[in-house]
Amino acid sequence: MNDTKKPTAPAPNARFVRRVPDGDTTERFVCGDCGHIYYTNPKIVVGSVVTCGDRILMCRRAIEPRKGFWTLPAGYLEEHETPEDGARREAREEALCDIVLDGLLAVYSIPRLSQVQLMYRARLDTEQYGAGTESLETKLFSWDDIPWTEIAFPSVHWALNHWRAIKDERVFAPFANPPGQNGNFPNAA
Amino acid sequence: MNDTKKPTAPAPNARFVRRVPDGDTTERFVCGDCGHIYYTNPKIVVGSVVTCGDRILMCRRAIEPRKGFWTLPAGYLEEHETPEDGARREAREEALCDIVLDGLLAVYSIPRLSQVQLMYRARLDTEQYGAGTESLETKLFSWDDIPWTEIAFPSVHWALNHWRAIKDERVFAPFANPPGQNGNFPNAA
């Protein structure tokens, strides 16, 4: 893994230079010709811990990164989409199911990736699901059967454990990253 | 106000065309020469309802949009920044104060602007604050003195009212947009 904080580059374009625009305090990509400022911003991931009865829905990734490993239905929020709509869309795309959201479980951040993750608690009211094009397979796991050694990302560990901590609570405050963890692999729970 | 959903343009570059890349389902800006895909994503705003005793800290905007109107300390999350750090930074920049975060008050979304707002509950432990460069003035208001007719944005109304609804609660679930409201001005509370 590369842990340096590389700025996300704009589209390949030789005219862009990296400098602090007038009146700003942060270095940006600025067009050397016209002064256009290309703002790069953190990205939002939306996803869910989805349960059907006591079992948790997981997807085995059909794509890189971490192809073949297990994850939760989650992905990038699209433009003009609410986070709730995005979480439902990701479950439809990756697990071919319609979920009912039931509270914001966590707001995680992975500063190295400039990623903020909004993870919801959700449920399946009927046992109807399948593998979308980004999933090799989808499956409902009881807690003890979760493939803990084949989890795709640290934040999947976090979300599963945080879900378990409040699974019987009606009202709860969303979790943040576990103390000292930044989402990089060396810190994986 | 312009309510059409215009995609955010990449840097001016005549080579970009708007199409659905192979394997995708959404139209993107794609470089007609090299196939580079320019993903545009929703932006994250981080901010706080900051109290000092029973009074709420507000800032009168020195910049457009809504110059001269009152808002809460808030702004765009920067790359490689956690939401909590971003909320504290915005309070430092706009109100020259060090705040203590005390829970996630709300996750709002303004789909027209592709904006997701993470609003925290926070407090000032000492009455030390001032007007940063983006503020004409900053002031602590008791609830009844809040300049309700001079509020900058609908979501400032939402955050103030949501803060009031849980101000005596220790544990609470974050709010979302009030029912039927999308953050556009015609719906302003």
PDB file of all heavy atoms in Angstrom, chain B residues 94-130:
ATOM      1  N   GLU B  94     -13.740  30.602  10.551  1.00  0.00           N
ATOM      2  CA  GLU B  94     -14.840  31.557  10.395  1.00  0.00           C
ATOM      3  C   GLU B  94     -15.182  32.281  11.686  1.00  0.00           C
ATOM      4  O   GLU B  94     -15.747  33.382  11.645  1.00  0.00           O
ATOM      5  CB  GLU B  94     -16.081  30.828   9.847  1.00  0.00           C
ATOM      6  CG  GLU B  94     -15.804  30.230   8.473  1.00  0.00           C
ATOM      7  CD  GLU B  94     -17.010  29.558   7.852  1.00  0.00           C
ATOM      8  OE1 GLU B  94     -18.064  29.466   8.504  1.00  0.00           O
ATOM      9  OE2 GLU B  94     -16.875  29.108   6.695  1.00  0.00           O
ATOM     10  N   ALA B  95     -14.890  31.641  12.827  1.00  0.00           N
ATOM     11  CA  ALA B  95     -15.282  32.254  14.097  1.00  0.00           C
ATOM     12  C   ALA B  95     -14.122  32.320  15.092  1.00  0.00           C
ATOM     13  O   ALA B  95     -14.333  32.658  16.259  1.00  0.00           O
ATOM     14  CB  ALA B  95     -16.455  31.484  14.702  1.00  0.00           C
ATOM     15  N   LEU B  96     -12.925  32.022  14.633  1.00  0.00           N
ATOM     16  CA  LEU B  96     -11.708  32.158  15.439  1.00  0.00           C
ATOM     17  C   LEU B  96     -11.854  31.512  16.815  1.00  0.00           C
ATOM     18  O   LEU B  96     -11.484  32.126  17.833  1.00  0.00           O
ATOM     19  CB  LEU B  96     -11.324  33.642  15.589  1.00  0.00           C
ATOM     20  CG  LEU B  96     -11.237  34.455  14.283  1.00  0.00           C
ATOM     21  CD1 LEU B  96     -10.833  35.900  14.582  1.00  0.00           C
ATOM     22  CD2 LEU B  96     -10.239  33.821  13.317  1.00  0.00           C
ATOM     23  N   CYS B  97     -12.402  30.315  16.842  1.00  0.00           N
ATOM     24  CA  CYS B  97     -12.601  29.669  18.137  1.00  0.00           C
ATOM     25  C   CYS B  97     -12.284  28.181  18.072  1.00  0.00           C
ATOM     26  O   CYS B  97     -12.294  27.569  17.005  1.00  0.00           O
ATOM     27  CB  CYS B  97     -14.040  29.879  18.618  1.00  0.00           C
ATOM     28  SG  CYS B  97     -15.292  29.139  17.572  1.00  0.00           S
ATOM     29  N   ASP B  98     -11.981  27.632  19.215  1.00  0.00           N
ATOM     30  CA  ASP B  98     -11.714  26.193  19.344  1.00  0.00           C
ATOM     31  C   ASP B  98     -12.937  25.524  19.950  1.00  0.00           C
ATOM     32  O   ASP B  98     -13.297  25.798  21.098  1.00  0.00           O
ATOM     33  CB  ASP B  98     -10.495  25.954  20.243  1.00  0.00           C
ATOM     34  CG  ASP B  98      -9.207  26.347  19.551  1.00  0.00           C
ATOM     35  OD1 ASP B  98      -9.043  25.987  18.370  1.00  0.00           O
ATOM     36  OD2 ASP B  98      -8.381  27.031  20.190  1.00  0.00           O
ATOM     37  N   ILE B  99     -13.558  24.652  19.175  1.00  0.00           N
ATOM     38  CA  ILE B  99     -14.796  24.028  19.640  1.00  0.00           C
ATOM     39  C   ILE B  99     -14.543  22.585  20.061  1.00  0.00           C
ATOM     40  O   ILE B  99     -13.576  21.955  19.633  1.00  0.00           O
ATOM     41  CB  ILE B  99     -15.903  24.082  18.556  1.00  0.00           C
ATOM     42  CG1 ILE B  99     -15.498  23.284  17.311  1.00  0.00           C
ATOM     43  CG2 ILE B  99     -16.231  25.526  18.212  1.00  0.00           C
ATOM     44  CD1 ILE B  99     -16.606  23.156  16.277  1.00  0.00           C
ATOM     45  N   VAL B 100     -15.435  22.085  20.907  1.00  0.00           N
ATOM     46  CA  VAL B 100     -15.399  20.693  21.348  1.00  0.00           C
ATOM     47  C   VAL B 100     -16.629  20.005  20.763  1.00  0.00           C
ATOM     48  O   VAL B 100     -17.762  20.408  21.038  1.00  0.00           O
ATOM     49  CB  VAL B 100     -15.438  20.609  22.892  1.00  0.00           C
ATOM     50  CG1 VAL B 100     -15.430  19.147  23.342  1.00  0.00           C
ATOM     51  CG2 VAL B 100     -14.270  21.381  23.501  1.00  0.00           C
ATOM     52  N   LEU B 101     -16.397  18.992  19.929  1.00  0.00           N
ATOM     53  CA  LEU B 101     -17.521  18.296  19.291  1.00  0.00           C
ATOM     54  C   LEU B 101     -18.195  17.366  20.292  1.00  0.00           C
ATOM     55  O   LEU B 101     -17.540  16.756  21.131  1.00  0.00           O
ATOM     56  CB  LEU B 101     -17.048  17.498  18.084  1.00  0.00           C
ATOM     57  CG  LEU B 101     -16.411  18.302  16.957  1.00  0.00           C
ATOM     58  CD1 LEU B 101     -16.157  17.397  15.754  1.00  0.00           C
ATOM     59  CD2 LEU B 101     -17.267  19.490  16.546  1.00  0.00           C
ATOM     60  N   ASP B 102     -19.503  17.234  20.128  1.00  0.00           N
ATOM     61  CA  ASP B 102     -20.311  16.566  21.140  1.00  0.00           C
ATOM     62  C   ASP B 102     -21.391  15.689  20.495  1.00  0.00           C
ATOM     63  O   ASP B 102     -22.450  15.484  21.066  1.00  0.00           O
ATOM     64  CB  ASP B 102     -20.942  17.684  21.996  1.00  0.00           C
ATOM     65  CG  ASP B 102     -21.768  17.145  23.119  1.00  0.00           C
ATOM     66  OD1 ASP B 102     -21.413  16.096  23.643  1.00  0.00           O
ATOM     67  OD2 ASP B 102     -22.791  17.788  23.438  1.00  0.00           O
ATOM     68  N   GLY B 103     -21.141  15.201  19.290  1.00  0.00           N
ATOM     69  CA  GLY B 103     -22.125  14.324  18.651  1.00  0.00           C
ATOM     70  C   GLY B 103     -22.503  14.806  17.271  1.00  0.00           C
ATOM     71  O   GLY B 103     -22.422  16.003  16.980  1.00  0.00           O
ATOM     72  N   LEU B 104     -22.891  13.867  16.420  1.00  0.00           N
ATOM     73  CA  LEU B 104     -23.326  14.213  15.063  1.00  0.00           C
ATOM     74  C   LEU B 104     -24.809  14.581  15.109  1.00  0.00           C
ATOM     75  O   LEU B 104     -25.648  13.736  15.386  1.00  0.00           O
ATOM     76  CB  LEU B 104     -23.090  13.027  14.117  1.00  0.00           C
ATOM     77  CG  LEU B 104     -23.458  13.247  12.661  1.00  0.00           C
ATOM     78  CD1 LEU B 104     -22.606  14.342  12.017  1.00  0.00           C
ATOM     79  CD2 LEU B 104     -23.324  11.946  11.866  1.00  0.00           C
ATOM     80  N   LEU B 105     -25.096  15.844  14.863  1.00  0.00           N
ATOM     81  CA  LEU B 105     -26.472  16.335  14.943  1.00  0.00           C
ATOM     82  C   LEU B 105     -27.306  15.892  13.747  1.00  0.00           C
ATOM     83  O   LEU B 105     -28.464  15.512  13.894  1.00  0.00           O
ATOM     84  CB  LEU B 105     -26.455  17.870  15.012  1.00  0.00           C
ATOM     85  CG  LEU B 105     -27.810  18.563  14.993  1.00  0.00           C
ATOM     86  CD1 LEU B 105     -28.634  18.200  16.221  1.00  0.00           C
ATOM     87  CD2 LEU B 105     -27.647  20.078  14.893  1.00  0.00           C
ATOM     88  N   ALA B 106     -26.737  15.960  12.554  1.00  0.00           N
ATOM     89  CA  ALA B 106     -27.547  15.722  11.359  1.00  0.00           C
ATOM     90  C   ALA B 106     -26.697  15.400  10.150  1.00  0.00           C
ATOM     91  O   ALA B 106     -25.536  15.806  10.060  1.00  0.00           O
ATOM     92  CB  ALA B 106     -28.397  16.960  11.052  1.00  0.00           C
ATOM     93  N   VAL B 107     -27.290  14.643   9.240  1.00  0.00           N
ATOM     94  CA  VAL B 107     -26.733  14.444   7.904  1.00  0.00           C
ATOM     95  C   VAL B 107     -27.800  14.940   6.930  1.00  0.00           C
ATOM     96  O   VAL B 107     -28.840  14.307   6.763  1.00  0.00           O
ATOM     97  CB  VAL B 107     -26.409  12.971   7.622  1.00  0.00           C
ATOM     98  CG1 VAL B 107     -25.875  12.808   6.203  1.00  0.00           C
ATOM     99  CG2 VAL B 107     -25.400  12.434   8.628  1.00  0.00           C
ATOM    100  N   TYR B 108     -27.567  16.092   6.360  1.00  0.00           N
ATOM    101  CA  TYR B 108     -28.510  16.656   5.399  1.00  0.00           C
ATOM    102  C   TYR B 108     -27.984  16.413   3.995  1.00  0.00           C
ATOM    103  O   TYR B 108     -26.780  16.267   3.779  1.00  0.00           O
ATOM    104  CB  TYR B 108     -28.659  18.170   5.607  1.00  0.00           C
ATOM    105  CG  TYR B 108     -29.139  18.576   6.984  1.00  0.00           C
ATOM    106  CD1 TYR B 108     -28.488  19.580   7.697  1.00  0.00           C
ATOM    107  CD2 TYR B 108     -30.248  17.970   7.564  1.00  0.00           C
ATOM    108  CE1 TYR B 108     -28.929  19.968   8.953  1.00  0.00           C
ATOM    109  CE2 TYR B 108     -30.698  18.350   8.824  1.00  0.00           C
ATOM    110  CZ  TYR B 108     -30.034  19.353   9.513  1.00  0.00           C
ATOM    111  OH  TYR B 108     -30.467  19.738  10.756  1.00  0.00           O
ATOM    112  N   SER B 109     -28.892  16.410   3.023  1.00  0.00           N
ATOM    113  CA  SER B 109     -28.413  16.378   1.651  1.00  0.00           C
ATOM    114  C   SER B 109     -29.195  17.362   0.807  1.00  0.00           C
ATOM    115  O   SER B 109     -30.394  17.565   1.000  1.00  0.00           O
ATOM    116  CB  SER B 109     -28.481  14.966   1.061  1.00  0.00           C
ATOM    117  OG  SER B 109     -29.800  14.515   1.014  1.00  0.00           O
ATOM    118  N   ILE B 110     -28.474  18.013  -0.074  1.00  0.00           N
ATOM    119  CA  ILE B 110     -29.060  18.973  -1.012  1.00  0.00           C
ATOM    120  C   ILE B 110     -28.786  18.387  -2.390  1.00  0.00           C
ATOM    121  O   ILE B 110     -27.765  18.706  -3.023  1.00  0.00           O
ATOM    122  CB  ILE B 110     -28.401  20.370  -0.876  1.00  0.00           C
ATOM    123  CG1 ILE B 110     -28.107  20.747   0.585  1.00  0.00           C
ATOM    124  CG2 ILE B 110     -29.238  21.438  -1.576  1.00  0.00           C
ATOM    125  CD1 ILE B 110     -29.296  21.067   1.422  1.00  0.00           C
ATOM    126  N   PRO B 111     -29.679  17.512  -2.866  1.00  0.00           N
ATOM    127  CA  PRO B 111     -29.377  16.787  -4.114  1.00  0.00           C
ATOM    128  C   PRO B 111     -29.116  17.720  -5.293  1.00  0.00           C
ATOM    129  O   PRO B 111     -28.255  17.432  -6.126  1.00  0.00           O
ATOM    130  CB  PRO B 111     -30.630  15.944  -4.341  1.00  0.00           C
ATOM    131  CG  PRO B 111     -31.242  15.790  -2.980  1.00  0.00           C
ATOM    132  CD  PRO B 111     -30.937  17.061  -2.261  1.00  0.00           C
ATOM    133  N   ARG B 112     -29.825  18.843  -5.368  1.00  0.00           N
ATOM    134  CA  ARG B 112     -29.614  19.752  -6.494  1.00  0.00           C
ATOM    135  C   ARG B 112     -28.169  20.224  -6.570  1.00  0.00           C
ATOM    136  O   ARG B 112     -27.594  20.388  -7.650  1.00  0.00           O
ATOM    137  CB  ARG B 112     -30.548  20.969  -6.366  1.00  0.00           C
ATOM    138  CG  ARG B 112     -30.484  21.935  -7.547  1.00  0.00           C
ATOM    139  CD  ARG B 112     -31.420  23.111  -7.333  1.00  0.00           C
ATOM    140  NE  ARG B 112     -31.104  23.815  -6.103  1.00  0.00           N
ATOM    141  CZ  ARG B 112     -30.206  24.795  -5.995  1.00  0.00           C
ATOM    142  NH1 ARG B 112     -29.539  25.212  -7.047  1.00  0.00           N
ATOM    143  NH2 ARG B 112     -29.974  25.377  -4.824  1.00  0.00           N
ATOM    144  N   LEU B 113     -27.564  20.433  -5.416  1.00  0.00           N
ATOM    145  CA  LEU B 113     -26.179  20.894  -5.360  1.00  0.00           C
ATOM    146  C   LEU B 113     -25.184  19.740  -5.213  1.00  0.00           C
ATOM    147  O   LEU B 113     -23.989  19.976  -5.100  1.00  0.00           O
ATOM    148  CB  LEU B 113     -25.993  21.856  -4.180  1.00  0.00           C
ATOM    149  CG  LEU B 113     -26.867  23.096  -4.146  1.00  0.00           C
ATOM    150  CD1 LEU B 113     -26.612  23.887  -2.873  1.00  0.00           C
ATOM    151  CD2 LEU B 113     -26.607  23.975  -5.371  1.00  0.00           C
ATOM    152  N   SER B 114     -25.683  18.504  -5.179  1.00  0.00           N
ATOM    153  CA  SER B 114     -24.827  17.342  -4.894  1.00  0.00           C
ATOM    154  C   SER B 114     -24.003  17.590  -3.635  1.00  0.00           C
ATOM    155  O   SER B 114     -22.785  17.446  -3.626  1.00  0.00           O
ATOM    156  CB  SER B 114     -23.892  17.029  -6.066  1.00  0.00           C
ATOM    157  OG  SER B 114     -24.626  16.498  -7.134  1.00  0.00           O
ATOM    158  N   GLN B 115     -24.703  17.972  -2.591  1.00  0.00           N
ATOM    159  CA  GLN B 115     -24.019  18.339  -1.349  1.00  0.00           C
ATOM    160  C   GLN B 115     -24.559  17.495  -0.206  1.00  0.00           C
ATOM    161  O   GLN B 115     -25.771  17.339  -0.064  1.00  0.00           O
ATOM    162  CB  GLN B 115     -24.287  19.821  -1.086  1.00  0.00           C
ATOM    163  CG  GLN B 115     -23.335  20.488  -0.145  1.00  0.00           C
ATOM    164  CD  GLN B 115     -23.688  21.954   0.048  1.00  0.00           C
ATOM    165  OE1 GLN B 115     -24.522  22.293   0.864  1.00  0.00           O
ATOM    166  NE2 GLN B 115     -23.048  22.830  -0.717  1.00  0.00           N
ATOM    167  N   VAL B 116     -23.652  16.945   0.582  1.00  0.00           N
ATOM    168  CA  VAL B 116     -24.024  16.242   1.808  1.00  0.00           C
ATOM    169  C   VAL B 116     -23.419  17.016   2.963  1.00  0.00           C
ATOM    170  O   VAL B 116     -22.231  17.323   2.958  1.00  0.00           O
ATOM    171  CB  VAL B 116     -23.512  14.785   1.801  1.00  0.00           C
ATOM    172  CG1 VAL B 116     -23.761  14.115   3.147  1.00  0.00           C
ATOM    173  CG2 VAL B 116     -24.193  13.992   0.686  1.00  0.00           C
ATOM    174  N   GLN B 117     -24.252  17.346   3.935  1.00  0.00           N
ATOM    175  CA  GLN B 117     -23.799  18.166   5.053  1.00  0.00           C
ATOM    176  C   GLN B 117     -23.752  17.324   6.325  1.00  0.00           C
ATOM    177  O   GLN B 117     -24.759  16.721   6.696  1.00  0.00           O
ATOM    178  CB  GLN B 117     -24.748  19.344   5.272  1.00  0.00           C
ATOM    179  CG  GLN B 117     -24.896  20.250   4.053  1.00  0.00           C
ATOM    180  CD  GLN B 117     -25.748  21.484   4.346  1.00  0.00           C
ATOM    181  OE1 GLN B 117     -26.366  21.578   5.408  1.00  0.00           O
ATOM    182  NE2 GLN B 117     -25.777  22.404   3.402  1.00  0.00           N
ATOM    183  N   LEU B 118     -22.606  17.304   6.972  1.00  0.00           N
ATOM    184  CA  LEU B 118     -22.469  16.654   8.274  1.00  0.00           C
ATOM    185  C   LEU B 118     -22.405  17.762   9.324  1.00  0.00           C
ATOM    186  O   LEU B 118     -21.425  18.517   9.370  1.00  0.00           O
ATOM    187  CB  LEU B 118     -21.204  15.805   8.336  1.00  0.00           C
ATOM    188  CG  LEU B 118     -21.082  14.687   7.292  1.00  0.00           C
ATOM    189  CD1 LEU B 118     -19.737  13.975   7.429  1.00  0.00           C
ATOM    190  CD2 LEU B 118     -22.211  13.684   7.457  1.00  0.00           C
ATOM    191  N   MET B 119     -23.469  17.872  10.122  1.00  0.00           N
ATOM    192  CA  MET B 119     -23.536  18.945  11.111  1.00  0.00           C
ATOM    193  C   MET B 119     -23.383  18.361  12.512  1.00  0.00           C
ATOM    194  O   MET B 119     -24.118  17.437  12.885  1.00  0.00           O
ATOM    195  CB  MET B 119     -24.879  19.677  10.997  1.00  0.00           C
ATOM    196  CG  MET B 119     -25.109  20.330   9.634  1.00  0.00           C
ATOM    197  SD  MET B 119     -23.880  21.615   9.210  1.00  0.00           S
ATOM    198  CE  MET B 119     -24.241  22.852  10.467  1.00  0.00           C
ATOM    199  N   TYR B 120     -22.457  18.883  13.264  1.00  0.00           N
ATOM    200  CA  TYR B 120     -22.176  18.397  14.613  1.00  0.00           C
ATOM    201  C   TYR B 120     -22.799  19.306  15.673  1.00  0.00           C
ATOM    202  O   TYR B 120     -23.063  20.475  15.422  1.00  0.00           O
ATOM    203  CB  TYR B 120     -20.655  18.312  14.838  1.00  0.00           C
ATOM    204  CG  TYR B 120     -20.023  17.244  13.990  1.00  0.00           C
ATOM    205  CD1 TYR B 120     -19.631  17.493  12.676  1.00  0.00           C
ATOM    206  CD2 TYR B 120     -19.872  15.955  14.478  1.00  0.00           C
ATOM    207  CE1 TYR B 120     -19.083  16.506  11.883  1.00  0.00           C
ATOM    208  CE2 TYR B 120     -19.329  14.951  13.688  1.00  0.00           C
ATOM    209  CZ  TYR B 120     -18.942  15.236  12.398  1.00  0.00           C
ATOM    210  OH  TYR B 120     -18.420  14.245  11.613  1.00  0.00           O
ATOM    211  N   ARG B 121     -22.999  18.731  16.855  1.00  0.00           N
ATOM    212  CA  ARG B 121     -23.293  19.535  18.034  1.00  0.00           C
ATOM    213  C   ARG B 121     -21.962  19.809  18.706  1.00  0.00           C
ATOM    214  O   ARG B 121     -21.137  18.899  18.840  1.00  0.00           O
ATOM    215  CB  ARG B 121     -24.231  18.760  18.965  1.00  0.00           C
ATOM    216  CG  ARG B 121     -24.657  19.549  20.176  1.00  0.00           C
ATOM    217  CD  ARG B 121     -25.743  18.829  20.958  1.00  0.00           C
ATOM    218  NE  ARG B 121     -25.227  17.701  21.722  1.00  0.00           N
ATOM    219  CZ  ARG B 121     -25.949  16.979  22.589  1.00  0.00           C
ATOM    220  NH1 ARG B 121     -27.223  17.269  22.779  1.00  0.00           N
ATOM    221  NH2 ARG B 121     -25.415  15.973  23.243  1.00  0.00           N
ATOM    222  N   ALA B 122     -21.729  21.049  19.088  1.00  0.00           N
ATOM    223  CA  ALA B 122     -20.418  21.409  19.646  1.00  0.00           C
ATOM    224  C   ALA B 122     -20.598  22.491  20.697  1.00  0.00           C
ATOM    225  O   ALA B 122     -21.663  23.096  20.818  1.00  0.00           O
ATOM    226  CB  ALA B 122     -19.489  21.894  18.530  1.00  0.00           C
ATOM    227  N   ARG B 123     -19.526  22.715  21.458  1.00  0.00           N
ATOM    228  CA  ARG B 123     -19.605  23.761  22.472  1.00  0.00           C
ATOM    229  C   ARG B 123     -18.285  24.525  22.544  1.00  0.00           C
ATOM    230  O   ARG B 123     -17.221  24.040  22.147  1.00  0.00           O
ATOM    231  CB  ARG B 123     -19.961  23.181  23.838  1.00  0.00           C
ATOM    232  CG  ARG B 123     -18.937  22.235  24.383  1.00  0.00           C
ATOM    233  CD  ARG B 123     -19.263  21.785  25.815  1.00  0.00           C
ATOM    234  NE  ARG B 123     -18.057  21.254  26.417  1.00  0.00           N
ATOM    235  CZ  ARG B 123     -17.655  19.973  26.323  1.00  0.00           C
ATOM    236  NH1 ARG B 123     -18.390  19.093  25.678  1.00  0.00           N
ATOM    237  NH2 ARG B 123     -16.531  19.594  26.876  1.00  0.00           N
ATOM    238  N   LEU B 124     -18.414  25.730  23.056  1.00  0.00           N
ATOM    239  CA  LEU B 124     -17.273  26.581  23.379  1.00  0.00           C
ATOM    240  C   LEU B 124     -17.126  26.537  24.885  1.00  0.00           C
ATOM    241  O   LEU B 124     -18.074  26.858  25.607  1.00  0.00           O
ATOM    242  CB  LEU B 124     -17.586  28.029  23.001  1.00  0.00           C
ATOM    243  CG  LEU B 124     -17.204  28.570  21.646  1.00  0.00           C
ATOM    244  CD1 LEU B 124     -17.584  30.049  21.579  1.00  0.00           C
ATOM    245  CD2 LEU B 124     -15.710  28.406  21.416  1.00  0.00           C
ATOM    246  N   ASP B 125     -15.957  26.172  25.360  1.00  0.00           N
ATOM    247  CA  ASP B 125     -15.800  26.119  26.813  1.00  0.00           C
ATOM    248  C   ASP B 125     -15.427  27.476  27.401  1.00  0.00           C
ATOM    249  O   ASP B 125     -15.599  27.697  28.597  1.00  0.00           O
ATOM    250  CB  ASP B 125     -14.762  25.052  27.186  1.00  0.00           C
ATOM    251  CG  ASP B 125     -15.354  23.643  27.107  1.00  0.00           C
ATOM    252  OD1 ASP B 125     -16.595  23.521  27.217  1.00  0.00           O
ATOM    253  OD2 ASP B 125     -14.595  22.679  26.929  1.00  0.00           O
ATOM    254  N   THR B 126     -14.892  28.348  26.567  1.00  0.00           N
ATOM    255  CA  THR B 126     -14.654  29.722  27.038  1.00  0.00           C
ATOM    256  C   THR B 126     -15.208  30.664  25.974  1.00  0.00           C
ATOM    257  O   THR B 126     -15.257  30.328  24.790  1.00  0.00           O
ATOM    258  CB  THR B 126     -13.151  30.022  27.212  1.00  0.00           C
ATOM    259  OG1 THR B 126     -12.506  29.844  25.939  1.00  0.00           O
ATOM    260  CG2 THR B 126     -12.519  29.086  28.227  1.00  0.00           C
ATOM    261  N   GLU B 127     -15.598  31.858  26.420  1.00  0.00           N
ATOM    262  CA  GLU B 127     -16.251  32.783  25.495  1.00  0.00           C
ATOM    263  C   GLU B 127     -15.211  33.528  24.657  1.00  0.00           C
ATOM    264  O   GLU B 127     -15.094  34.751  24.726  1.00  0.00           O
ATOM    265  CB  GLU B 127     -17.122  33.763  26.299  1.00  0.00           C
ATOM    266  CG  GLU B 127     -18.207  34.411  25.448  1.00  0.00           C
ATOM    267  CD  GLU B 127     -19.213  35.176  26.302  1.00  0.00           C
ATOM    268  OE1 GLU B 127     -19.635  34.682  27.372  1.00  0.00           O
ATOM    269  OE2 GLU B 127     -19.585  36.277  25.867  1.00  0.00           O
ATOM    270  N   GLN B 128     -14.466  32.759  23.879  1.00  0.00           N
ATOM    271  CA  GLN B 128     -13.425  33.346  23.035  1.00  0.00           C
ATOM    272  C   GLN B 128     -13.731  33.040  21.583  1.00  0.00           C
ATOM    273  O   GLN B 128     -13.687  31.873  21.172  1.00  0.00           O
ATOM    274  CB  GLN B 128     -12.056  32.771  23.404  1.00  0.00           C
ATOM    275  CG  GLN B 128     -11.639  33.140  24.824  1.00  0.00           C
ATOM    276  CD  GLN B 128     -10.168  32.879  25.068  1.00  0.00           C
ATOM    277  OE1 GLN B 128      -9.609  31.928  24.529  1.00  0.00           O
ATOM    278  NE2 GLN B 128      -9.538  33.709  25.888  1.00  0.00           N
ATOM    279  N   TYR B 129     -14.029  34.077  20.841  1.00  0.00           N
ATOM    280  CA  TYR B 129     -14.338  33.885  19.432  1.00  0.00           C
ATOM    281  C   TYR B 129     -14.193  35.237  18.745  1.00  0.00           C
ATOM    282  O   TYR B 129     -13.992  36.268  19.408  1.00  0.00           O
ATOM    283  CB  TYR B 129     -15.757  33.324  19.242  1.00  0.00           C
ATOM    284  CG  TYR B 129     -16.838  34.244  19.749  1.00  0.00           C
ATOM    285  CD1 TYR B 129     -17.480  35.124  18.885  1.00  0.00           C
ATOM    286  CD2 TYR B 129     -17.199  34.254  21.092  1.00  0.00           C
ATOM    287  CE1 TYR B 129     -18.460  35.983  19.348  1.00  0.00           C
ATOM    288  CE2 TYR B 129     -18.159  35.116  21.563  1.00  0.00           C
ATOM    289  CZ  TYR B 129     -18.801  35.977  20.684  1.00  0.00           C
ATOM    290  OH  TYR B 129     -19.754  36.835  21.149  1.00  0.00           O
ATOM    291  N   GLY B 130     -14.277  35.222  17.421  1.00  0.00           N
ATOM    292  CA  GLY B 130     -14.143  36.475  16.686  1.00  0.00           C
ATOM    293  C   GLY B 130     -14.601  36.266  15.251  1.00  0.00           C
ATOM    294  O   GLY B 130     -15.141  35.213  14.903  1.00  0.00           O
TER     295      GLY B 130
END
